[in-house]
Amino acid sequence: MTMTASTEKPGRREIPLAVYLVPSAALLLAIFGFPLVESVITAFQENKGVRATPTWTGFANFERVFTSPIFWRVFAQTVVWTVAVVAATTIVSYVLASLLQEKFRGKRLFQIILMLPWATSIALSAVVWRFGFQPGGLINRTLELVGLDEVAWLADTPEAAFALIFVGVWVSVPFTTVMLSAGMRSIPNDIYEAVALETNSVVSKHWHVTLPMVRTVLLIVTLANFVLVFNSFPIIFVMTEGGPVNKTDILATLLYKQAFTFLDFGAASALAVVVLAILLGAAVWYVHTLIHAGKKT
Amino acid sequence: MKSLRSFHLARRAILTTTIAVVLFPYLVMGVTLFKPDDELTASQRWLPQSFSLDELIAAATDGQVWTYITNSFIIATGVTLVVLFCAIPAAYVLARHQFRGRTQFMDVILITQMVSPVVLIVALFQMFSALDLLSSYSSVIIASSAFVLPFSVWLLVGFFSSISNEIEEAAVLDGCSRFRIMTAFVVPISRPGIAATALYAFIYGWNEFIFSLTFLSGAPDRWPVTIGVFSNAGQWFVSWQPLMFMALMGSIPILLLFAVLQRQFDAGFASFASK
């Protein structure tokens, strides 16, 4: 650093460092900073879309949100959806990532195929899944081929919830597997060799070496998945639109419909503030108790 | 020996199941294209009973799908350019210079990852409406770019900080300015990293859904393929063959791009995961 400073000739024209940050800062301010403030303001207004004039209503929107039985039901559904998708994704990805640590024929092709769901638009794959889950669709056809009964997948819960969670996992596994696999690859081989002297069990190898070594990557990728899945919009909006009667809604789809179907921008913004508070709270708790605690020991 | 055999069997079973599940939607798209209408209403079979190319030809010669594809291309290219323009200089100074506020800037970037498009969608709609930018490509491009930026800056900081200091010091002795060091040394050396970032931005822009759905609802001639497929699937009577053709055309460019550049992408992810 001092090297750079001392060789800087006086009088040479340099663009100040801050200027390099201006485009990024402006973009973040316009798309995150300003709308965050705007959301909070709208949450305290009666606001019926862009053509109506907003009026101040204090905490009325929040009161309406918290006293509505739909909110609490959808909140519970959001928790179930998030926990189910993130947990299943983590388990499936962990197994796949550990299989990818070994050599086998066609491994490269397998890795490319595995990433396809990540590279495909969720909106497009969700439309195709919806078509597949239709009563006469190819999912039921495949179940019949292996001797199972037809299911009316998207007509009611819990079948619809199961179908959505399945697609949620299908979307989330690729990225999670790649991250975990990269984490596992960076574990030095001599640790495994040392453990191999004591035990031959696959389970204890994972429990004593792999799991502790990928802990940080695992925690970070789980946090990322938590945020993504909690807010996940296209899968549910495309496949069931939250129906039948809110039974598969999560807060994200409820918020969207509140704003753009019912044109109630005030209540939608109050919901947005609540969602944001939940996420920030959960993230701060998570980072403090899990990630930092692990680093200290 | 026996346990090794069963391990190999279990592994093969897991891998085969995974491939089948992963490929399912693509197989559905593939077979549906060739089915005549009457095979799509009742109980479907996997393989078309009477092979028909009519629906496929009708779908491909319908101009609408190519309008959607062009729009997706415009949006994805726009997002890529905006993100590179913003992220490269920011990542350059964050990776190679110390200054006051550097940590805070990185923190802000990390925190924005907690925010998702749906949380801000109402406020962004109000903002673009006030700026009279609804129904324009730029509203979708700008909003998407902001959500691509944080991860892109992180990726690029990783690549830029791995360049050795000697090159930069030699350039300084030669009288190069910071800006010239960035454009003439740092950027060319980090080409793989920039390619990975550009690919990430392009894929995000191509696959984007909620901003286009909301901001472009009044301008069907600017819809990208994601909205085209979604809106056609919501009709009372859906003709699935053209829809599947559209979905296939919407996924193939990205899948090809991804398969070709996968190695570079892997490197980007790996450097991110090992941090």
Side-chain angles (χ1 to χ4, degrees):
Chain A
M1 247 21 270
T2 45
M3 179 81 190
T4 315
S6 64
T7 50
E8 214 156 278
K9 289 172 197 140
R12 190 170 70 213
R13 282 168 166 262
E14 280 285 15
I15 306 169
L17 287 176
V19 175
Y20 291 80
L21 296 173
V22 166
S24 292
L27 187 62
L28 294 179
L29 214 60
I31 302 300
F32 289 100
F34 176 75
L36 279 176
V37 177
E38 174 102 10
S39 299
V40 176
I41 292 174
T42 313
F44 291 98
Q45 288 175 338
E46 174 164 324
N47 191 320
K48 298 287 182 195
V50 287
R51 285 202 184 79
T53 337
T55 51
W56 295 99
T57 54
F59 284 91
N61 289 323
F62 289 95
E63 226 177 287
R64 261 193 314 139
V65 166
F66 287 125
T67 52
S68 132
I70 291 187
F71 169 79
W72 291 106
R73 201 172 79 200
V74 171
F75 179 74
Q77 284 162 195
T78 313
V79 172
V80 172
W81 151 261
T82 311
V83 171
V85 174
V86 173
T89 300
T90 311
I91 295 168
V92 172
S93 305
Y94 188 92
V95 171
L96 290 177
S98 42
L99 287 182
L100 285 175
Q101 301 313 303
E102 287 157 53
K103 286 198 179 85
F104 55 86
R105 242 186 29 194
K107 180 173 156 185
R108 235 192 107 57
L109 185 65
F110 180 80
Q111 281 173 304
I112 291 180
I113 290 176
L114 185 65
M115 283 308 278
L116 297 185
W118 181 82
T120 305
S121 168
I122 298 178
L124 297 182
S125 48
V127 165
V128 182
W129 278 109
R130 190 175 100 187
F131 179 58
F133 275 114
Q134 279 189 340
L138 290 172
I139 302 245
N140 277 336
R141 168 58 40 168
T142 311
L143 289 181
E144 269 176 32
L145 287 178
V146 295
L148 296 168
D149 284 336
E150 276 206 10
V151 178
W153 284 108
L154 299 177
D156 205 350
T157 47
E159 290 86 354
F162 180 85
L164 291 172
I165 290 169
F166 182 84
V167 177
V169 175
W170 184 86
V171 168
S172 320
V173 160
F175 182 75
T176 315
T177 307
V178 168
M179 295 301 268
L180 284 179
S181 174
M184 288 180 189
R185 217 167 29 229
S186 65
I187 301 174
N189 230 338
D190 37 344
I191 302 186
Y192 285 119
E193 281 158 18
V195 171
L197 294 175
E198 291 184 14
T199 171
N200 230 339
S201 134
V202 178
V203 175
S204 73
K205 190 185 86 177
H206 274 279
W207 187 252
H208 292 294
V209 184
T210 318
L211 210 51
M213 292 297 278
V214 295
R215 184 192 154 95
T216 311
V217 179
L218 191 64
L219 291 175
I220 288 174
V221 99
T222 310
L223 175 64
N225 279 339
F226 172 79
V227 176
L228 281 175
V229 174
F230 190 93
N231 289 311
S232 167
F233 175 77
I235 299 173
I236 296 176
F237 195 75
V238 168
M239 285 180 65
T240 64
E241 231 176 306
V245 283
N246 299 103
K247 278 185 183 172
T248 58
D249 258 323
I250 60 169
L251 291 175
T253 52
L254 186 71
L255 185 168
Y256 194 86
K257 289 193 282 187
Q258 199 72 42
F260 297 105
T261 308
F262 304 114
L263 288 181
D264 190 346
F265 280 25
S269 299
L271 257 176
V273 171
V274 171
V275 169
L276 212 72
I278 294 174
L279 276 179
L280 281 180
V284 167
W285 170 82
Y286 188 89
V287 168
H288 265 267
T289 55
L290 286 172
I291 299 183
H292 282 193
K295 274 182 185 158
K296 263 179 233 145
T297 52
Chain B
M1 237 27 298
K2 202 178 166 199
S3 73
L4 196 68
R5 262 259 297 284
S6 61
F7 173 75
H8 280 295
L9 269 176
R11 183 173 73 187
R12 177 171 289 184
I14 295 175
L15 294 177
T16 315
T17 317
T18 309
I19 298 256
V21 173
V22 165
L23 288 182
F24 180 84
Y26 309 100
L27 296 175
V28 170
M29 290 188 226
V31 294
T32 306
L33 284 180
F34 302 107
K35 289 179 181 170
D37 279 338
D38 57 328
E39 283 186 40
L40 292 176
T41 46
S43 189
Q44 290 173 39
R45 287 166 189 284
W46 262 106
L47 292 176
Q49 301 301 296
S50 56
F51 190 84
S52 145
L53 277 177
D54 303 353
E55 299 292 342
L56 183 63
I57 291 166
T61 47
D62 180 12
Q64 207 179 26
V65 55
W66 305 115
T67 313
Y68 293 148
I69 297 286
T70 312
N71 290 334
S72 289
F73 188 79
I74 293 172
I75 291 172
T77 310
V79 172
T80 311
L81 293 178
V82 172
V83 165
L84 290 182
F85 175 77
C86 295
I88 290 176
Y92 166 68
V93 293
L94 288 168
R96 309 202 59 87
H97 293 274
Q98 287 296 331
F99 54 91
R100 228 158 37 115
R102 180 181 174 281
T103 339
Q104 285 83 342
F105 195 88
M106 291 299 272
D107 284 349
V108 167
I109 281 192
L110 209 62
I111 290 169
T112 56
Q113 295 287 61
M114 290 285 124
V115 184
S116 77
V118 74
V119 172
L120 296 180
I121 193 74
V122 177
L124 286 170
F125 180 83
Q126 289 171 303
M127 183 177 93
F128 284 122
S129 156
L131 295 171
D132 211 10
L133 282 176
L134 289 182
S135 298
S136 73
Y137 294 122
S138 51
S139 59
V140 177
I141 291 171
I142 295 167
S144 307
S145 301
F147 280 87
V148 176
L149 186 72
F151 188 63
S152 305
V153 170
W154 266 80
L155 268 182
L156 286 177
V157 166
F159 279 101
F160 290 172
S161 18
S162 64
I163 302 170
S164 85
N165 269 323
E166 285 156 36
I167 299 173
E168 182 148 5
E169 278 156 14
V172 170
L173 286 176
D174 278 350
C176 281
S177 71
R178 269 201 295 263
F179 186 75
R180 185 143 167 70
I181 291 171
M182 178 178 87
T183 54
F185 296 99
V186 175
V187 168
I189 292 174
S190 313
R191 233 174 353 215
I194 290 173
T197 310
L199 179 63
Y200 171 67
F202 192 88
I203 291 181
Y204 189 103
W206 185 280
N207 291 345
E208 199 283 318
F209 180 65
I210 191 169
F211 294 135
S212 315
L213 178 74
T214 314
F215 304 153
L216 303 180
S217 63
D221 55 320
R222 299 220 169 93
W223 282 354
V225 68
T226 46
I227 306 301
V229 169
F230 171 71
S231 126
N232 278 302
Q235 307 288 330
W236 186 247
F237 177 78
V238 183
S239 45
W240 287 101
Q241 303 93 333
L243 194 68
M244 291 297 140
F245 179 74
M246 219 185 264
L248 209 56
M249 289 300 109
S251 13
I252 284 178
I254 296 295
L255 298 186
L256 282 181
L257 203 62
F258 179 76
V260 171
L261 291 173
Q262 197 244 2
R263 234 172 255 273
Q264 272 152 2
F265 218 47
D266 245 17
F269 277 136
S271 80
F272 191 71
S274 57
K275 266 205 275 301

